[in-house]
């Protein structure tokens, strides 16, 4: 699990400028790439994102200004390499929601996470098709879109249980060479009841779980 040293906790008052810097979608994407795949140069990230190296270099410097990234060890003296300073960016949903400016960041970050899920699914399917992932991953891999009825207290407890179990399993698998990077996105988004005259809900889930999806 992520240690406190690997976690960046943002405060809406103290870190308003840093939060604003992260509203740019390319910066969120660059930071995610450095966290997922390790240090890289602006040119390498430009190739992977389809952006110009001038653009990735600029946005990396902005991320560095607010201590999200830092210079990494150089392979040679020709181009600067960058690394993510922290593994996770964290915040209080309540604190962000209480601030109009920070509340906008909360929406941006959640949509970026959904985009990350889509990109990760494409990459996962390619890794399976090309044989980079073994058949042992077919069973446990999957996506859920269940909709249980929970109280606010139960939803908070669910997050706590998930965090504890993930910490336990991550520690257990730390030295296992079979362990692979797993993209684990979880969402708990309560929905208000809809009246009989409401517009059709096109977001209704299929109600599949990991076993059915595998």
């Amino acid at each position: 699990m992520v240690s406190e040293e690997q976690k960046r906790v943002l405060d809406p008052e103290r870190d308003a400028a840093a939060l604003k810097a992260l509203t740019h979608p390319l910066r969120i994407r660059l930071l995610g790439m450095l966290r997922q795949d390790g240090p890289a140069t602006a040119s390498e990230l430009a190739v992977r994102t389809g952006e110009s190296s001038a653009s990735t270099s600029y946005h990396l410097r902005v991320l560095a200004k607010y201590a999200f990234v830092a210079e990494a060890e150089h392979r040679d003296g020709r181009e600067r390499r960058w690394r993510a300073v922290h593994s996770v960016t964290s915040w209080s949903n309540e604190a962000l929601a209480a601030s109009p400016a920070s509340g906008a960041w909360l929406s941006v970050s959640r949509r970026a996470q959904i985009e990350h899920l889509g990109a990760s699914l494409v990459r996962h399917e390619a890794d399976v098709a090309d044989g980079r992932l073994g058949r042992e991953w077919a069973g446990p891999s999957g996506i859920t879109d269940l909709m249980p009825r929970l109280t606010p207290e139960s939803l908070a407890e669910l997050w706590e249980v998930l965090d504890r179990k993930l910490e336990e399993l991550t520690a257990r698998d730390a030295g296992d060479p079979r362990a692979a990077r797993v993209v684990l996105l979880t969402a708990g988004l309560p929905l208000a009841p809809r009246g009989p005259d409401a517009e059709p809900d096109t977001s209704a889930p299929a109600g599949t779980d990991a076993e059915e999806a595998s």
Side-chain angles (χ1 to χ4, degrees), residues 52-105:
S52 69
S53 58
S55 177
T56 55
S57 179
Y58 167 75
H59 289 297
L60 286 166
R61 290 196 301 272
V62 174
L63 289 171
K65 177 181 178 180
Y66 294 104
F68 290 107
V69 305
E71 286 193 49
E73 182 179 349
H74 299 309
R75 290 177 180 171
D76 54 49
R78 290 180 296 177
E79 188 172 4
R80 180 182 298 177
R81 291 176 61 78
W82 298 94
R83 63 176 177 83
V85 175
H86 305 91
S87 299
V88 170
T89 303
S90 181
W91 55 82
S92 164
N93 286 340
E94 290 183 273
L96 289 185
S99 169
S102 299
W105 148 246

Side-chain angles (χ1 to χ4, degrees), residues 19-31:
L19 283 165
K20 184 177 180 181
L22 273 188
T23 58
H24 195 287
L26 180 57
R27 290 174 200 156
I28 297 176
R29 191 177 177 192
L30 293 174
L31 181 57

Side-chain angles (χ1 to χ4, degrees), residues 27-152:
R27 290 174 200 156
I28 297 176
R29 191 177 177 192
L30 293 174
L31 181 57
M33 286 180 168
L34 293 177
R35 287 176 172 173
Q36 183 168 291
D37 298 316
T41 66
S43 295
E44 291 168 343
L45 292 169
V47 171
R48 290 161 58 188
T49 59
E51 301 284 339
S52 69
S53 58
S55 177
T56 55
S57 179
Y58 167 75
H59 289 297
L60 286 166
R61 290 196 301 272
V62 174
L63 289 171
K65 177 181 178 180
Y66 294 104
F68 290 107
V69 305
E71 286 193 49
E73 182 179 349
H74 299 309
R75 290 177 180 171
D76 54 49
R78 290 180 296 177
E79 188 172 4
R80 180 182 298 177
R81 291 176 61 78
W82 298 94
R83 63 176 177 83
V85 175
H86 305 91
S87 299
V88 170
T89 303
S90 181
W91 55 82
S92 164
N93 286 340
E94 290 183 273
L96 289 185
S99 169
S102 299
W105 148 246
L106 192 58
S107 179
V108 169
S109 68
R110 286 174 173 174
R111 280 159 176 74
Q113 289 170 322
I114 295 301
E115 292 176 3
H116 180 213
L117 176 59
S120 297
L121 177 59
V122 171
R123 178 170 170 177
H124 165 77
E125 291 175 336
D127 288 342
V128 170
D130 295 339
R132 289 185 291 271
L133 285 174
R135 294 179 59 85
E136 68 273 14
W137 287 105
S141 301
I143 299 174
T144 64
D145 59 354
L146 303 178
M147 292 188 68
R149 290 181 60 84
L150 299 172
T151 63

Side-chain angles (χ1 to χ4, degrees), residues 93-94 148-165 186-190:
N93 286 340
E94 290 183 273
R149 290 181 60 84
L150 299 172
T151 63
E153 294 78 14
S154 292
L155 182 56
E157 181 180 342
L158 180 60
W159 285 114
E160 293 171 1
V161 171
L162 178 63
D163 285 344
R164 288 198 301 270
K165 191 62 179 180
T186 52
L189 305 174

